[in-house]
Amino acid sequence: MLNIHNLSISFQGEYLFEEITFKLGVGDRVGLIGKNGAGKSTMLKILSKELEPDSGQIAADKDLSIGFLKQDIDFEFGKTVLEESYEAFKDIKDLEAKMEGINLQLAERTDYESESYNQLMIDLNDIQHQYEILGGYNYQGDTEKILQGLGFKREDFNKLTDTFSGGWRMRIELAKLLLQNNDVLLLDEPTNHLDIESIIWLENFLKNYQGAVVIVSHDKMFLDNVTNRTIEISLGRIYDYPKPYSEFLVLREEIREQQLAAHKNQEKQIQQTEKLIEKFRAKASKASMAQSLIKKLDKIDRIEVDEEDNSVMTLNFPVSITPGKVVLEAKQVSKNYGDLQVLHNINLSIARDSKVAFVGQNGQGKSTLAKIIVNEIEHQGQLHLGHNVQIGYFAQNQAEYLDGNKTVHDTMIDAANETNRTKVRDILGAFLFRGEEVDKYVRVLSGGERNRLALAKLMLQPFNVLVMDEPTNHLDIKSKNVLKDALNRFEGTLILVSHDRDFLQGLTNTVYEFKDQKIKEYLGDIDFYLKQRNVENLREVEKRDVIKEVPKENVNQSYEAQKQQKSLKNKLSKVESKITQLEKDIKAIDVELAVNYDETVSKPNFFDTYQAKKDKLEQLMMDWESIQEELDKF
């Protein structure tokens, strides 16, 4: 499918990667990994032909189609969710416009026997045939199915995309991509804005995907569940193994250990040979033997040990003055967005030096309460901060607050004060922005680099309460570990919103579960919480949360509901069969009209019969919609 040969690209004179070669074939599901800034997003841009490499070639099958989900998207406002999703079907929509134009002409004209009218009928038949081949009769259903899989509800379909957050707009972009049936899918951090249900749905979709998939992600479980191959970019080279992420790490370490052992043995042999050469050189009778050993040494194929990139940021959160015993207290706090109630009468008290985790399914109010705590959004009820409380806040979409037209250095200088302005370069260096990298514009940074910059900005102001909403999004594995170590050392109060069990382990001593507009307190760490909920991981918790429970008060009611649901499904199936048959009948008549118009229309009561079929089809469509609405209530 795709053959990458001797690919190189450099920025500001330094190679990001040099002369790398690999192939992508049907069924390959590749996890593209590496530290932040290693070149993962750049590689995806090159594969999508959005960026030209300095050298090398990319050979592709003829008519190969590539879909690319970027971290940053340009979104056109003013369309509904469905209208934006239908943009995936440009060819089908063009054919629909043509059919509409022809049907409008046919309705207005009365010269039924003219050659031009007959040509319109032939054109309409050709377009309808193309329309059917492209899936024109199925695309609306497919669109709704994928939107629902990604977490949208039917009532969302006709809402304007303007009313949705960046994360939900990213889901629409992902839906468009999945609907296009591309040969190759390039996905840059696809799970960052998805809840657990949607992630599991996407995993199943990608497992059954017929083409090739290349995924950049820092979600270990997602990579393990989806990929069958891992390519690591490290220090300008790639390491390519047919294993999912966790197995790749084990294999990579085993290979490196073998390389180290072989390299050590070879070094011993070389040292022994060099000693013999020095010994024989001193004797004229042994000079030829010394020369022979020198030639032998020159011919040795030196064993190389794969380099490891161990550069990581150094991170310590500054603590300000000591606050009062209670850092925040919430009484009867509620929040709704229009008709959607997210939080209802929340009561919460957090003591000084507490380490708190907010967990639960997306949309249950975790980020909302975090924003209420930092006074970013209005709410009902009371929330009071304690004496001398100074809050540091890292938002889930923190990178969106950065100005793309500023450089890394200017971003920090503008946020600094007189006391720490001179330390800006030192702080940036600790976050791996060194040398000329500080002069990069924010808009060209990867998602991980932007998060690193946002974390660096936090260092400029001391605080005693730290609120962090999904801080590990976009961070590579090593950076996650550095952040975790820093939070373990943080001596203030910590409030952490996260889906990542590995990250939360050992960080918090109280867990608040968000569910059904309420919160529930668990006085223990994340492992204690999961044990209380009798599950292995947070995925299971969040998946269970959306399972509808059968009402316990009346089992007979449940049985009756099941019978009614089954009856409606049978009705729906019968109506769908009738619709399919009628559409075939009408299509056959259209073909007859196009081929032999005069003979067809001369049949007794032709137009009455033809119109009756169309009317019947319209009525059946209305019946289908009505039954489907009844089913949706279940």
Side-chain angles (χ1 to χ4, degrees):
M1 290 178 83
L2 211 57
N3 195 344
I4 295 88
H5 184 67
N6 285 346
L7 206 65
S8 299
I9 191 164
S10 60
F11 287 105
Q12 298 175 331
E14 285 191 21
Y15 277 103
L16 199 54
F17 37 79
E18 186 175 10
E19 294 190 346
I20 62 175
T21 298
F22 62 95
K23 290 181 180 180
L24 282 179
V26 175
D28 278 344
R29 294 190 295 277
V30 178
L32 186 62
I33 66 168
K35 58 168 280 192
N36 292 138
K40 303 183 297 294
S41 295
T42 301
M43 175 62 78
L44 294 187
K45 287 176 183 175
I46 291 173
L47 295 179
S48 69
K49 299 181 182 176
E50 189 177 292
L51 186 66
E52 281 288 324
D54 294 341
S55 60
Q57 296 176 323
I58 300 179
D61 292 349
K62 191 181 178 184
D63 300 325
L64 185 82
S65 60
I66 298 175
F68 183 21
L69 180 75
K70 294 182 279 188
Q71 289 181 15
D72 304 308
I73 54 172
D74 297 320
F75 220 79
E76 185 180 329
F77 295 104
K79 292 180 179 176
T80 67
V81 172
L82 274 182
E83 287 169 343
E84 182 62 42
S85 301
Y86 289 159
E87 290 295 307
F89 304 100
K90 187 177 182 306
D91 292 343
I92 289 176
K93 299 300 286 182
D94 288 346
L95 290 174
E96 278 186 345
K98 288 179 182 178
M99 285 193 293
E100 191 177 339
I102 292 174
N103 281 321
L104 194 64
Q105 290 183 61
L106 291 173
E108 291 173 348
R109 293 175 59 162
T110 55
D111 55 334
Y112 305 126
E113 296 182 10
S114 69
E115 190 175 330
S116 61
Y117 189 91
N118 188 50
Q119 186 59 48
L120 279 176
M121 294 295 294
I122 293 169
D123 292 344
L124 180 62
N125 183 58
D126 289 343
I127 292 169
Q128 284 176 332
H129 183 62
Q130 284 179 267
Y131 186 75
E132 184 178 14
I133 290 171
L134 290 177
Y137 296 108
N138 302 319
Y139 81 93
Q140 292 177 336
D142 291 343
T143 302
E144 293 183 11
K145 200 181 297 178
I146 282 182
L147 284 173
Q148 286 178 313
L150 290 173
F152 288 93
K153 297 175 182 174
R154 282 189 173 275
E155 53 264 34
D156 296 330
F157 290 171
N158 293 313
K159 291 178 184 175
L160 290 175
T161 57
D162 314 35
T163 62
F164 290 88
S165 68
W168 283 94
R169 293 202 293 272
M170 187 67 82
R171 293 189 195 205
I172 299 171
E173 199 66 19
L174 179 57
K176 286 160 61 177
L177 206 62
L178 299 182
L179 286 162
Q180 285 169 353
N181 290 325
N182 290 293
D183 300 306
V184 179
L185 274 183
L186 308 175
L187 306 177
D188 199 354
E189 299 285 5
T191 64
N192 269 359
H193 301 286
L194 301 183
D195 57 25
I196 297 301
E197 283 293 305
S198 299
I199 289 173
I200 292 169
W201 179 90
L202 180 60
E203 284 177 354
N204 290 328
F205 183 95
L206 293 176
K207 283 176 192 174
N208 297 310
Y209 195 73
Q210 298 299 309
V213 184
V214 182
I215 303 165
V216 171
S217 178
H218 298 121
D219 184 332
K220 292 189 289 184
M221 189 176 286
F222 180 73
L223 288 174
D224 281 342
N225 288 343
V226 172
T227 62
N228 54 20
R229 179 179 169 192
T230 301
I231 297 177
E232 179 186 20
I233 301 177
S234 178
L235 299 171
R237 296 181 61 189
I238 64 165
Y239 301 92
D240 184 356
Y241 296 102
K243 300 283 183 184
Y245 178 74
S246 293
E247 292 180 37
F248 162 82
L249 290 182
V250 174
L251 183 61
R252 180 99 156 76
E253 188 56 35
E254 287 174 358
I255 289 171
R256 195 169 184 278
E257 284 173 4
Q258 290 167 7
Q259 288 175 340
L260 282 167
H263 181 263
K264 192 175 178 181
N265 289 332
Q266 189 182 62
E267 282 299 304
K268 279 183 184 178
Q269 292 173 10
I270 290 170
Q271 286 170 13
Q272 288 171 355
T273 305
E274 286 174 339
K275 283 179 183 176
L276 286 172
I277 291 169
E278 288 302 315
K279 187 178 177 182
F280 293 154
R281 266 180 178 159
K283 299 177 182 178
S285 61
K286 303 285 187 181
S288 60
M289 191 176 287
Q291 288 299 318
S292 176
L293 287 171
I294 290 169
K295 287 178 183 178
K296 181 183 175 184
L297 205 59
D298 289 339
K299 289 178 181 178
I300 287 178
D301 189 8
R302 305 277 174 140
I303 295 169
E304 290 186 9
V305 178
D306 295 341
E307 286 185 80
E308 283 195 306
D309 189 351
N310 291 313
S311 58
V312 292
M313 60 183 179
T314 51
L315 183 54
N316 285 293
F317 292 105
V319 180
S320 63
I321 55 176
T322 303
K325 284 187 177 181
V326 176
V327 295
L328 73 87
E329 193 166 19
K331 292 181 179 178
Q332 304 292 300
V333 168
S334 299
K335 177 63 184 176
N336 60 287
Y337 297 96
D339 296 331
L340 179 63
Q341 184 88 41
V342 179
L343 299 171
H344 182 65
N345 289 344
I346 299 298
N347 295 304
L348 174 68
S349 179
I350 295 180
R352 181 179 62 213
D353 298 338
S354 295
K355 310 295 182 187
V356 174
F358 286 176
V359 303
Q361 189 192 15
N362 274 15
Q364 294 290 340
K366 303 184 302 295
S367 296
T368 296
L369 186 55
K371 288 175 183 174
I372 289 171
I373 290 170
V374 299
N375 198 30
E376 190 174 286
I377 56 175
E378 294 180 353
H379 58 90
Q380 296 81 47
Q382 298 177 336
L383 189 137
H384 299 295
L385 296 182
H387 180 63
N388 281 341
V389 166
Q390 297 174 344
I391 295 181
Y393 176 49
F394 185 94
Q396 184 175 160
N397 58 339
Q398 187 72 46
E400 292 177 18
Y401 291 97
L402 300 173
D403 186 345
N405 294 317
K406 287 183 181 179
T407 65
V408 169
H409 185 256
D410 289 342
T411 299
M412 291 289 285
I413 288 291
D414 292 347
N417 54 39
E418 290 180 9
T419 60
N420 57 25
R421 195 163 283 127
T422 57
K423 298 178 184 176
V424 160
R425 282 192 176 270
D426 291 337
I427 294 172
L428 285 173
F431 282 80
L432 306 183
F433 292 107
R434 294 162 185 160
E436 294 178 345
E437 287 185 329
V438 301
D439 297 321
K440 279 185 178 180
Y441 281 97
V442 171
R443 63 173 174 266
V444 304
L445 299 180
S446 69
E449 288 171 320
R450 290 189 197 186
N451 264 24
R452 287 211 314 263
L453 179 57
L455 284 169
K457 275 184 71 180
L458 269 179
M459 302 298 102
L460 295 171
Q461 298 293 335
F463 41 79
N464 48 36
V465 176
L466 180 54
V467 180
M468 305 197 88
D469 188 359
E470 299 289 359
T472 59
N473 280 357
H474 299 293
L475 289 183
D476 60 62
I477 308 300
K478 287 180 181 176
S479 297
K480 278 186 189 182
N481 292 335
V482 171
L483 175 59
K484 183 173 179 176
D485 290 341
L487 292 176
N488 263 322
R489 292 191 301 271
F490 178 58
E491 295 177 356
T493 304
L494 176 64
I495 299 172
L496 194 56
V497 180
S498 180
H499 292 280
D500 191 332
R501 177 188 180 173
D502 291 340
F503 184 70
L504 287 173
Q505 272 179 325
L507 267 184
T508 61
N509 51 33
T510 306
V511 175
Y512 286 98
E513 180 185 41
F514 285 65
K515 185 178 178 183
D516 299 333
Q517 306 165 15
K518 301 288 186 183
I519 62 173
K520 185 176 180 180
E521 184 182 48
Y522 291 81
L523 295 173
D525 63 7
I526 194 68
D527 291 332
F528 171 80
Y529 162 72
L530 292 172
K531 190 175 180 181
Q532 291 294 304
R533 295 285 266 109
N534 196 29
V535 292
E536 290 293 323
N537 54 56
L538 286 174
R539 274 191 169 202
E540 290 183 48
V541 172
E542 296 175 34
K543 189 178 179 185
R544 281 189 184 192
D545 285 350
V546 297
I547 295 173
K548 294 178 180 176
E549 296 179 2
V550 177
K552 294 176 182 176
E553 66 268 20
N554 194 332
V555 179
N556 289 331
Q557 275 186 359
S558 173
Y559 175 70
E560 288 302 320
Q562 287 176 8
K563 277 180 63 180
Q564 191 179 349
Q565 190 177 6
K566 189 175 180 182
S567 172
L568 285 169
K569 283 182 178 177
N570 289 337
K571 281 184 184 178
L572 192 72
S573 179
K574 288 176 183 176
V575 170
E576 285 174 345
S577 297
K578 290 178 181 178
I579 288 172
T580 303
Q581 187 56 52
L582 267 176
E583 284 177 338
K584 284 181 182 177
D585 293 347
I586 291 168
K587 187 180 175 185
I589 294 171
D590 288 338
V591 172
E592 272 189 73
L593 281 168
V595 174
N596 197 338
Y597 180 81
D598 291 336
E599 188 177 326
T600 304
V601 299
S602 64
K603 292 177 182 177
N605 302 319
F606 168 76
F607 283 109
D608 290 341
T609 306
Y610 186 40
Q611 189 59 46
K613 286 183 181 291
K614 286 189 171 183
D615 292 342
K616 180 64 176 172
L617 179 60
E618 191 174 337
Q619 180 59 49
L620 283 170
M621 295 294 275
M622 290 169 65
D623 292 345
W624 183 93
E625 193 173 341
S626 175
I627 297 168
Q628 187 63 57
E629 282 177 4
E630 286 295 312
L631 266 173
D632 286 343
K633 292 176 184 177
F634 290 92

